[in-house]
Amino acid sequence: MTTTGRRAVLAAGASAAAAALAGCASDGGPRRPSAAERAAAREAERVARAETALRGRATAASRTLLERYDAALAAHPGLRPRLAPLRASAAAHAEALGEGGPAPAPAPAASASATVSGTPAAVPATTPAAPPVPADPAAALRELAAAARAAADAQTAELDAAPPEYARLLASVAAAGAGHAYLLTEGARR
């Protein structure tokens, strides 16, 4: 899924119109872009950089949560029936949030945590190592719920700056993260 902000489309359209008009120069030589064309190009570039940064932050929050699921599963294999569906959901969210954006840099070395399939988890190089998982499974679930809430809060905080299509995706992923937090804590008591 590729999202494009209205400002980026307008700026690209203005640049394309200016380029089309460039062929109408009467002197036959190459035409220099006008100040307005240069400003439109700079604005389009700024919007693209801002959207790339936003995608990176949102994806990093999801990938950090995914890493936490992997660490909890590695420390507490008995929680696999409960955590595997939530982990799969978190993996799908991380992938969806990263579509159309830059691919994250691989971790410097293969981490001790692995995905359910056994392949190393893909996390950005700037993601700090997951904190140690508590030895008590209940405490591990509480910490995982806190991580899910933190990821949902981070994604919710990005909604105002996101283009409409990406904002809808962020809102859905944030709501799912809140659901994960509930299922990891309150939902287990029922």
Side-chain angles (χ1 to χ4, degrees), residues 3 17 23 27 32 60 76 92 95 98 104 118 134-135 156 176 179:
T3 60
D27 64 0
R32 294 175 47 129
H76 300 288
E95 182 178 334
T156 300

Side-chain angles (χ1 to χ4, degrees), residues 146-190:
R149 277 190 294 277
D153 290 346
Q155 290 152 346
T156 300
E158 298 289 357
L159 288 175
D160 286 339
E165 288 177 30
Y166 199 67
R168 284 189 289 277
L169 177 62
L170 275 175
S172 295
V173 171
H180 285 204
Y182 175 80
L183 291 171
L184 290 166
T185 56
E186 301 298 321
R189 295 180 189 163
R190 296 191 184 255

Side-chain angles (χ1 to χ4, degrees), residues 21-184:
L21 291 175
C24 298
S26 61
D27 64 0
R31 185 181 160 287
R32 294 175 47 129
S34 70
E37 293 166 344
R38 289 190 304 272
R42 282 192 305 273
E43 176 63 12
E45 186 177 317
R46 185 196 65 75
V47 168
R49 279 194 312 267
E51 187 173 338
T52 298
L54 178 134
R55 283 179 181 276
R57 290 187 304 272
T59 303
S62 284
R63 290 182 193 273
T64 297
L65 177 60
L66 186 58
E67 185 177 274
R68 298 291 300 269
Y69 273 109
D70 290 340
L73 284 165
H76 300 288
L79 293 175
R80 184 167 304 284
R82 184 170 179 187
L83 296 182
L86 298 175
R87 191 246 176 244
S89 175
H93 296 156
E95 182 178 334
L97 288 171
E99 284 182 2
S111 68
S113 64
T115 63
V116 174
S117 66
T119 57
V123 294
T126 58
T127 301
V133 177
D136 176 37
L141 289 175
R142 283 191 302 274
E143 285 195 8
L144 195 53
R149 277 190 294 277
D153 290 346
Q155 290 152 346
T156 300
E158 298 289 357
L159 288 175
D160 286 339
E165 288 177 30
Y166 199 67
R168 284 189 289 277
L169 177 62
L170 275 175
S172 295
V173 171
H180 285 204
Y182 175 80
L183 291 171
L184 290 166

